[in-house]
Amino acid sequence: MLTEIDKETSENGDLTVEWAISSIETGSIHITAVANPVNEEIHQSRPSQVIETITHGIDQLQESPVIPTGFSEAALKHTKTFSELVDPDDFAEIRLRSNGWTTNIAPRLAGNVDEITKTTQKFYGSIEGTLVSISVAARQVLGIRSSIEGRTIRCYFKDELFEVAKEALGRRVYVFGIIRQRQHGPKINIQVDELRILPSENDMPSVSDILAKLRGG
């Protein structure tokens, strides 16, 4: 859960924090996780940002089936696991704590996550953003950081688009295809039919340039 939210909220969709279990106490099980920024100079504030996103998100999920900011589909599933473990005969209570924040995980959290994830819609549409990653490990997928949504969206692509994707890495792109989106929520992924490289923002005409062209000046 920590890792998924870190990647979802980082600037380029990359891992910025590695988490380690520092201690486990017996009896009532106490597990402590410690954050280790991947780069101390660049990512010094990331652990607190990730924790703040998680605490706000869990509080929200305990109350209602609304997707919290920074929670990907994978993060929702991992969060749901805590609620599914609550059982009077096994884990009678699961409590999370951090920096003065504490909460007891309620069974209703799993139901709220189910309510969020069960309703999706598909439609043709486009996404613009910066192509920040390419993976061919299990399934060919691009990571496009959308400036509008402020998150990285998974974009599944065909073999014939691979060379274009390599050329586009790190650049602004436009993709068109079938978008899967949560009802009244964020886009989950897109099956890409078309991929185009866009001019960089520095090469884009200014408003005054556009107005001058429209006036014929």
Side-chain angles (χ1 to χ4, degrees):
M1 181 181 66
L2 291 162
T3 298
E4 290 296 336
I5 291 176
D6 175 25
K7 291 189 293 186
E8 184 71 11
T9 58
S10 67
E11 185 175 350
N12 295 318
D14 296 329
L15 187 71
T16 66
V17 183
E18 294 178 341
W19 304 88
I21 302 300
S22 67
S23 65
I24 300 179
E25 299 177 18
T26 57
S28 292
I29 302 172
H30 295 268
I31 300 176
T32 302
V34 175
N36 299 298
V38 173
N39 185 312
E40 287 284 355
E41 294 183 5
I42 300 175
H43 305 311
Q44 186 176 7
S45 63
R46 285 294 295 160
S48 60
Q49 292 171 359
V50 172
I51 291 295
E52 184 177 2
T53 300
I54 287 176
T55 57
H56 289 170
I58 289 178
D59 285 343
Q60 188 173 353
L61 285 170
Q62 299 256 66
E63 294 297 325
S64 59
V66 178
I67 302 173
T69 299
F71 276 62
S72 63
E73 185 171 15
L76 287 171
K77 289 179 180 178
H78 292 315
T79 307
K80 176 184 172 182
T81 301
F82 286 114
S83 182
E84 292 175 325
L85 287 172
V86 177
D87 185 328
D89 297 323
D90 196 354
F91 291 95
E93 178 183 84
I94 295 179
R95 179 178 298 174
L96 302 181
R97 294 177 180 165
S98 177
N99 300 328
W101 170 84
T102 182
T103 188
N104 288 344
I105 298 297
R108 66 176 176 272
L109 186 150
N112 286 341
V113 172
D114 284 339
E115 186 68 24
I116 291 169
T117 56
K118 74 179 182 181
T119 307
T120 61
Q121 54 188 346
K122 292 183 178 180
F123 56 93
Y124 277 100
S126 62
I127 296 172
E128 292 184 13
T130 303
L131 179 55
V132 296
S133 65
I134 302 174
S135 174
V136 294
R139 184 177 178 186
Q140 294 187 150
V141 60
L142 309 173
I144 294 182
R145 186 73 178 178
S146 168
S147 56
I148 295 176
E149 301 215 4
R151 54 190 293 271
T152 301
I153 300 172
R154 286 179 171 267
C155 307
Y156 300 108
F157 66 98
K158 307 171 185 176
D159 290 340
E160 53 264 35
L161 294 176
F162 184 68
E163 293 301 323
V164 180
K166 286 198 302 182
E167 183 182 351
L169 188 61
R171 302 170 67 179
R172 289 182 63 246
V173 296
Y174 160 97
V175 293
F176 177 84
I178 298 178
I179 293 174
R180 181 167 168 251
Q181 180 172 351
R182 303 216 178 281
Q183 189 171 12
H184 310 302
K187 297 178 178 65
I188 302 170
N189 56 50
I190 178 171
Q191 184 65 52
V192 179
D193 291 330
E194 180 184 355
L195 168 63
R196 285 189 287 158
I197 300 174
L198 299 176
S200 68
E201 293 183 353
N202 294 333
D203 296 331
M204 296 290 287
S206 65
V207 174
S208 58
D209 291 337
I210 294 173
L211 291 175
K213 288 183 178 180
L214 291 174
R215 294 172 183 148

